Amino acid sequence: MREPLSIQSRNNPRIKATAGLKESKYRNQTGLFLVEGLHEIEIGLQYGYPMVSVFYSDKNKFECLRDKLSDSVELFEVPSAIMDKLSLRQNPEGIIAVCRQMPLAGISELTNDNEVLLILDGLEKPGNHGAILRSAAAFGIQNVVINHCKLDPYNPNVIRNSRGHSLSFRHYKDDAETTLSWLQTHQYQSYVASPEATLDVQDVRFEPKSAIILGSEHDGVSEFWKQHASRLFSIPMTSKVDSLNVSVSASIVLFEAFKQRRV
């Protein structure tokens, strides 16, 4: 393995290029992304993300990782001030990796067609996306389909809020019409969470081939999915609150589907 190089200047070109990966423009241009935190980096390695370089200011964290890295990974030891520049966290953990992205596939490439799918329709906030994926990982979801969504699954806030579990998913990106066609071809039932629905989520029978569709934070699920879903259901709550954060709704619904699969 290469010996770590020391970088002391915040103006070092490698530091500037790496910090730029916090912005979607540079992630798109380079095909690279940042993974911050020892736990998150280990998940990235577990799921086969090619690692390009590692920057660390915490030697103990780096030593925990050293033996898991390939010889081709570039290593850089940096002071805390530079780690602060690279990090999006208020209290950086002291280790960040640069990894290569895996291209987003269309839903036609999804071959495992006997499981519960999660479809995210028009989500906008990376923090919510990450929180949903953390719950999805906890409740046995393996694949996520993105519809009409500008979100980048490699946004550092997605990875942070998922505690790295966003890297355990294969993301598929397609329009709603193509997604519906795939669901119909593969004999899936689709379930949409909607506050207007009268069916209680606890009364929904989630089939082995189920697609759970959750909408944007502001507008909810699109009219297309409301019109074409197999079932509409709601989450009961008191009159004091008219809606839940989409990540909270996701946890409730995904747990209900998980509970049924365990019976």
Side-chain angles (χ1 to χ4, degrees), residues 6-259:
S6 176
I7 297 180
Q8 299 296 318
S9 171
R10 290 167 59 92
N11 294 320
N12 182 285
R14 177 57 70 91
I15 297 301
K16 288 185 175 182
T18 302
L21 296 175
K22 290 187 281 188
E23 304 295 331
S24 61
K25 173 183 176 180
Y26 296 105
R27 291 195 299 274
N28 292 336
Q29 287 178 354
T30 62
L32 303 174
F33 69 104
L34 298 176
V35 182
E36 181 171 3
L38 179 61
H39 175 73
E40 290 84 343
I41 293 171
E42 288 177 332
I43 291 177
L45 288 170
Q46 179 183 348
Y47 285 92
Y49 280 88
M51 202 153 289
V52 175
S53 55
V54 171
F55 296 79
Y56 69 92
S57 58
D58 186 319
K59 291 184 179 181
N60 292 328
K61 295 276 173 56
F62 171 66
E63 290 302 326
C64 290
L65 192 67
R66 180 193 282 266
D67 292 341
K68 301 175 183 179
L69 301 175
S70 71
D71 292 341
S72 63
V73 178
E74 295 181 302
L75 308 174
F76 300 97
E77 184 175 7
V78 299
S80 297
I82 290 182
M83 187 59 62
D84 289 343
K85 180 174 182 178
L86 298 178
S87 173
L88 278 175
R89 300 182 181 181
Q90 188 172 1
N91 297 301
E93 190 175 319
I95 190 163
I96 291 178
V98 177
C99 299
R100 295 197 185 280
Q101 299 177 22
M102 293 186 184
L104 294 182
I107 194 169
S108 63
E109 296 186 40
L110 204 169
T111 56
N112 186 352
D113 65 348
N114 193 27
E115 63 176 57
V116 176
L117 299 177
L118 177 61
I119 298 175
L120 301 179
D121 180 42
L123 255 67
E124 300 166 345
K125 298 180 181 179
N128 281 338
H129 190 141
I132 289 170
L133 295 185
R134 185 175 181 181
S135 295
F139 299 130
I141 303 298
Q142 297 182 46
N143 293 300
V144 177
V145 181
I146 303 173
N147 284 170
H148 302 146
C149 187
K150 299 178 181 177
L151 270 181
D152 171 6
Y154 296 112
N155 184 303
N157 284 320
V158 172
I159 298 169
R160 178 180 65 179
N161 279 39
S162 73
R163 285 284 285 132
H165 291 290
S166 62
L167 303 177
S168 70
F169 292 93
R170 182 77 188 272
H171 278 78
Y172 298 85
K173 188 173 183 179
D174 234 314
D175 58 67
E177 293 79 3
T178 303
T179 301
L180 175 64
S181 177
W182 187 94
L183 295 178
Q184 292 172 336
T185 298
H186 293 264
Q187 300 180 320
Y188 266 71
Q189 299 295 306
S190 52
Y191 301 86
V192 166
S194 172
E196 297 87 14
T198 57
L199 181 64
D200 190 313
V201 64
Q202 296 181 86
D203 297 325
V204 176
R205 176 59 187 170
F206 290 99
E207 300 294 335
K209 289 187 175 186
S210 292
I212 296 172
I213 304 160
L214 299 169
S216 73
E217 298 83 355
H218 184 264
D219 299 320
V221 175
S222 65
E223 287 300 319
F224 176 88
W225 279 119
K226 288 181 182 179
Q227 292 173 13
H228 292 91
S230 307
R231 297 283 188 278
L232 297 178
F233 65 87
S234 63
I235 299 171
M237 63 190 79
T238 69
S239 58
K240 292 181 180 180
V241 178
D242 61 1
S243 65
L244 296 171
N245 179 281
V246 65
S247 65
V248 176
S249 297
S251 295
I252 294 170
V253 177
L254 294 174
F255 172 71
E256 185 63 35
F258 174 72
K259 182 175 68 174

